[in-house]
Amino acid sequence: MARTFVLWLHGLGDSGPANEPIKTFFTSPAFRNTTWAFPSAPSNPVTCNYGAIMPSWFDIHEIPISATSPKDESSVLKAVQKVHAMIDKELAGGTNPENVFVCGFSQGGALTLASVLLYPKTLGGGAVFSGWVPFGSSSIIERITPEAKRTPILWSHGVADQTVLFEAGQAGPPFLQQLGMSCEFKAYPGLGHSISNEELRSLESWIKTRLESSS
């Protein structure tokens, strides 16, 4: 059975180890040969929290985040390089790119999107939970390769989210459609800024389907 790699990117102020219990939801035999990675973001000053230093992948200028919030593209690109280094290391170890899945919540979801779009190969998938599109300039969009555009995206967002507004999530699929990409968008009524068991079960079946089609 081919080796699978799932990289999970946490939200602002969180840590990798705190998210490790997520993998207990993935009980299907399809995940028997899965390697999980839960990296922690470096500590950085965060503008929306008055410059307080906390685990943060990139800078965020305002909360709540709306569809039109300012984007700190240069710090996003620096974070993307870190994620790409983790993926490169996995591929160098013999994992097929089609068996690599990047998933993330909130700030980690925004970084997931940027990382899979800017990775030069087609990956198994990118799953965004309560995230947003963290860049929009044409110079970055021009770097998205035809291979990257074939990476499938799952996007889940709580309708009652007051931190990353639902409208910020809703802006994702049209952005991806303009790039010629497919995106499965799931809205969760009543869900605030958190990840639900239902979302994780949905992620398990989504990844499993892709593993079965690539094997």
Side-chain angles (χ1 to χ4, degrees):
M1 207 169 137
R3 182 170 135 125
T4 309
F5 181 60
V6 180
L7 176 59
W8 185 276
L9 303 171
H10 66 72
L12 179 67
D14 203 353
S15 78
N19 285 269
E20 285 188 22
I22 283 169
K23 64 187 178 191
T24 60
F25 280 84
F26 295 75
T27 53
S28 160
F31 293 89
R32 268 202 310 265
N33 201 15
T34 299
T35 302
W36 292 79
F38 292 89
S40 293
S43 291
N44 286 305
V46 178
T47 302
C48 68
N49 288 337
Y50 308 101
I53 292 173
M54 63 185 64
S56 176
W57 298 109
F58 56 85
D59 199 16
I60 295 175
H61 289 262
E62 66 179 25
I63 281 181
I65 290 162
S66 69
T68 55
S69 286
K71 298 164 173 55
D72 198 307
E73 295 184 343
S74 63
S75 69
V76 169
L77 291 176
K78 276 190 198 133
V80 164
Q81 286 178 329
K82 290 193 181 86
V83 177
H84 285 183
M86 290 182 245
I87 298 170
D88 289 342
K89 188 178 169 191
E90 190 60 32
L91 299 191
T95 304
N96 186 314
E98 288 183 3
N99 292 334
V100 171
F101 295 86
V102 185
C103 316
F105 171 72
S106 191
Q107 187 190 41
L111 178 56
T112 291
L113 185 72
S115 298
V116 298
L117 291 184
L118 295 170
Y119 199 71
K121 295 177 175 159
T122 307
L123 298 175
V128 179
F129 296 91
S130 313
W132 66 94
V133 180
F135 63 80
S137 58
S138 55
S139 61
I140 300 178
I141 290 168
E142 281 160 12
R143 288 162 54 178
I144 303 172
T145 65
E147 289 76 21
K149 289 179 184 180
R150 287 202 286 275
T151 300
I153 305 288
L154 172 68
W155 197 307
S156 309
H157 211 109
V159 177
D161 196 330
Q162 298 299 310
T163 305
V164 179
L165 301 180
F166 185 63
E167 61 158 84
Q170 274 184 309
F175 173 80
L176 292 166
Q177 277 158 1
Q178 283 175 337
L179 298 174
M181 291 180 70
S182 68
C183 172
E184 191 178 327
F185 186 84
K186 294 192 169 208
Y188 290 81
L191 181 65
H193 193 64
S194 64
I195 193 154
S196 69
N197 294 356
E198 190 186 349
E199 285 179 298
L200 291 172
R201 280 193 292 272
S202 168
L203 175 64
E204 185 198 30
S205 63
W206 187 78
I207 293 179
K208 189 178 151 206
T209 302
R210 270 143 198 83
L211 290 176
E212 286 164 354
S213 65
S214 73
S215 59

